[in-house]
Amino acid sequence: VIDPGHGGNKPGAVSVRKRYEKDLNLSISLKLRDKLEDLGYNIIMTRDTDVDIDLYERARIANDIDADLFISIHGNSHTNSVHKGVQVLYCPATKSSIKEVDQYPFAKAMMDALLAGTGAVDKGIIQRPNLVVLRETKMPAVLVETGFISNPEEEQLLFTEEYQDIIVDSLIKGIENYLEMN
């Protein structure tokens, strides 16, 4: 399941050039869907248009179809525009009543591939058990912060087709590396 963060009347962060995080998330997610489907993966999107989907509904979609993996795509933001880089968030299995396997290996596979593919700054693999889409999904789940839209240089890069393709290719490499291990 691919989950483009935010949407509809919940735009997420607003970039330094007044672009919406929800649009970045959807653009990257649709590219990821298309490339994964071309590789033979069965992909379900929590949204494929500019609509707001409830957080618990996002998790329910993945759980109801017994998805193998859940990937939520986001753009990061900070009040200090100097921050840049990628982050991968996850919920430790011990912090969720429904998690069935250790979540860290998936988060690490995704981060390693993102760092190798993009050359972005490593902002860490972060435990976030309070995030609904990570805590309430049964399968391995990550929330990928693709970069800081509050940083002028990174924001400009994130909204280019070329860099989005690099992110997508990196995410696919992370997925494949994880699936090979398990």
Side-chain angles (χ1 to χ4, degrees), residues 2-152:
I2 300 171
D3 175 46
H6 308 288
N9 62 356
K10 294 182 180 162
V14 179
S15 81
V16 290
R17 291 178 180 81
K18 307 298 183 221
R19 296 188 272 198
Y20 294 123
E21 179 193 354
K22 67 178 184 176
D23 298 329
L24 173 68
N25 301 342
L26 185 58
S27 178
I28 292 171
S29 296
L30 290 171
K31 287 177 170 63
L32 181 59
R33 176 198 65 192
D34 293 348
K35 282 195 172 184
L36 284 170
E37 284 180 344
D38 287 348
L39 292 170
Y41 289 87
N42 180 21
I43 303 300
I44 302 295
M45 302 282 290
T46 57
R47 71 179 181 95
D48 56 13
T49 59
D50 185 20
V51 294
D52 175 34
I53 307 288
D54 177 77
L55 295 174
Y56 287 92
E57 175 66 10
R58 293 170 190 254
R60 188 195 62 72
I61 289 167
N63 291 337
D64 282 358
I65 63 161
D66 197 24
D68 295 310
L69 300 172
F70 182 92
I71 302 166
S72 190
I73 302 293
H74 287 260
N76 219 335
S77 185
H78 195 280
T79 52
N80 185 340
S81 66
V82 73
H83 287 279
K84 62 182 180 178
V86 294
Q87 273 184 330
V88 176
L89 314 180
Y90 76 104
C91 174
T94 56
K95 306 274 190 200
S96 167
S97 60
I98 65 169
K99 289 290 186 189
E100 296 165 349
V101 298
D102 184 10
Q103 304 292 293
Y104 181 80
F106 185 40
K108 180 159 179 18
M110 296 302 279
M111 179 58 107
D112 289 349
L114 276 167
L115 293 173
T118 65
V121 173
D122 183 346
K123 295 300 277 188
I125 300 171
I126 312 292
Q127 293 185 15
R128 290 294 298 274
N130 56 325
L131 296 180
V132 171
V133 295
L134 298 179
R135 184 187 67 232
E136 299 299 322
T137 44
K138 292 177 186 172
M139 70 292 307
V142 292
L143 188 151
V144 176
E145 297 280 10
T146 57
F148 283 80
I149 64 174
S150 52
N151 176 290

